[in-house]
Amino acid sequence: MNMKYKVLSALLGACCLSTVPVCGQPKNSEGAPSAENAVIETIYARRSIRRFKPQPVSRELMKIILDCGINAPNGQNRQSWEVRVVDNPEWDSENIVRRGFFNAPVMVFVANDPTYPFSQIDCGLLCENMMLAAQSLGIGSICVASPVRAIRQSPALLEKLGFSEGYELLICVGFGYADQSPEAKPRDPGKVKFVE
Ligand SMILES: Cc1cc2nc3c(=O)[nH]c(=O)nc-3n(C[C@H](O)[C@H](O)[C@H](O)COP(=O)(O)O)c2cc1C
């Protein structure tokens, strides 16, 4: 069994053995997210990471994360995204974007097809799938828009990314081993309402 299927079957096993809550946020007695369901636990555990260890992430793990990304739901299965992965620390030798990625060892660039109206949603779902998969594998992540501006002003970097004609760089995600454990930022449950 290759690494990918070992990891995927471990994740699947964890999900199958768990109890799926039917409503509300599962909490333990301390009010912390419950560990009863691996997916739910992963969602609550993920936080934006802004300090990474220099330790690289193996391509084997990155391939699993990227494959989870492209398995996201997407409009009409058009897969209206293109993804470029940079794990070579020398790639951005002029240090144009690394700071925007908080020096994450892996920089992922996601471009969308602007001719498809739901393309940005497709790309967002792809990114979230990757970030949750990474979290489940012990790898931290940060979704960042700020490098997009820098890259748009650097035709050389844009050319190196090599997106197909018609695709536009939309959003970026950095991956690496977290060197911090940020607290969850508050969310407003009032934004969600059941409508009778
Ligand atoms: C579309 C998008 C763009 C973002 N851009 C940046 C960014 O440029 N810089 C940054 O530090 N964080 C950025 N973030 C991360 C958000 O600030 C973060 O997700 C939010 O504060 C909630 O925190 P959490 O991810 O820890 O739950 C971005 C997130 C999203 C979804």
Side-chain angles (χ1 to χ4, degrees):
M1 202 188 275
N2 71 26
M3 176 68 186
K4 173 178 172 177
Y5 291 107
K6 262 189 222 164
V7 173
L8 291 180
S9 59
L11 287 174
L12 188 62
C15 292
C16 292
L17 288 171
S18 65
T19 311
V20 180
V22 288
C23 64
Q25 294 187 355
K27 304 274 183 187
N28 66 20
S29 52
E30 282 84 45
S34 160
E36 282 173 10
N37 179 291
V39 175
I40 292 170
E41 188 188 2
T42 298
I43 289 169
Y44 286 126
R46 184 213 57 81
R47 303 271 62 99
S48 289
I49 297 302
R50 296 184 175 85
R51 198 167 65 227
F52 292 91
K53 295 178 181 165
Q55 183 186 346
V57 180
S58 73
R59 285 204 175 179
E60 202 173 21
L61 287 181
M62 277 314 301
K63 282 179 186 166
I64 295 171
I65 291 166
L66 293 157
D67 198 49
C68 288
I70 62 171
N71 272 281
N74 64 94
Q76 300 172 343
N77 199 28
R78 286 174 178 233
Q79 301 162 69
S80 67
W81 48 56
E82 280 196 357
V83 181
R84 299 290 180 264
V85 186
V86 175
D87 60 2
N88 170 9
E90 307 302 316
W91 185 82
D92 178 27
S93 53
E94 289 172 43
N95 220 8
I96 293 170
V97 290
R98 274 219 94 80
R99 214 150 21 101
F101 278 90
F102 299 91
N103 296 316
V106 184
M107 301 186 289
V108 171
F109 300 86
V110 178
N112 76 305
D113 169 5
T115 65
Y116 178 52
F118 297 114
S119 183
Q120 294 201 0
I121 294 174
D122 290 351
C123 291
L125 292 168
L126 166 122
C127 291
E128 179 67 340
N129 258 23
M130 291 194 298
M131 291 188 282
L132 291 178
Q135 178 68 37
S136 77
L137 297 169
I139 295 163
S141 64
I142 175 86
C143 178
V144 274
S146 60
V148 173
R149 285 186 286 276
I151 289 192
R152 282 189 183 151
Q153 288 163 8
S154 168
L157 284 187
L158 251 187
E159 195 183 326
K160 271 164 76 172
L161 289 174
F163 288 114
S164 302
E165 186 75 28
Y167 278 78
E168 288 178 1
L169 179 61
L170 176 72
I171 192 71
C172 308
V173 188
F175 293 96
Y177 291 95
D179 198 18
Q180 62 175 185
S181 308
E183 288 295 314
K185 289 189 181 163
R187 299 307 206 252
D188 177 5
K191 298 249 182 193
V192 183
K193 288 187 173 41
F194 284 93
V195 179
E196 304 300 343

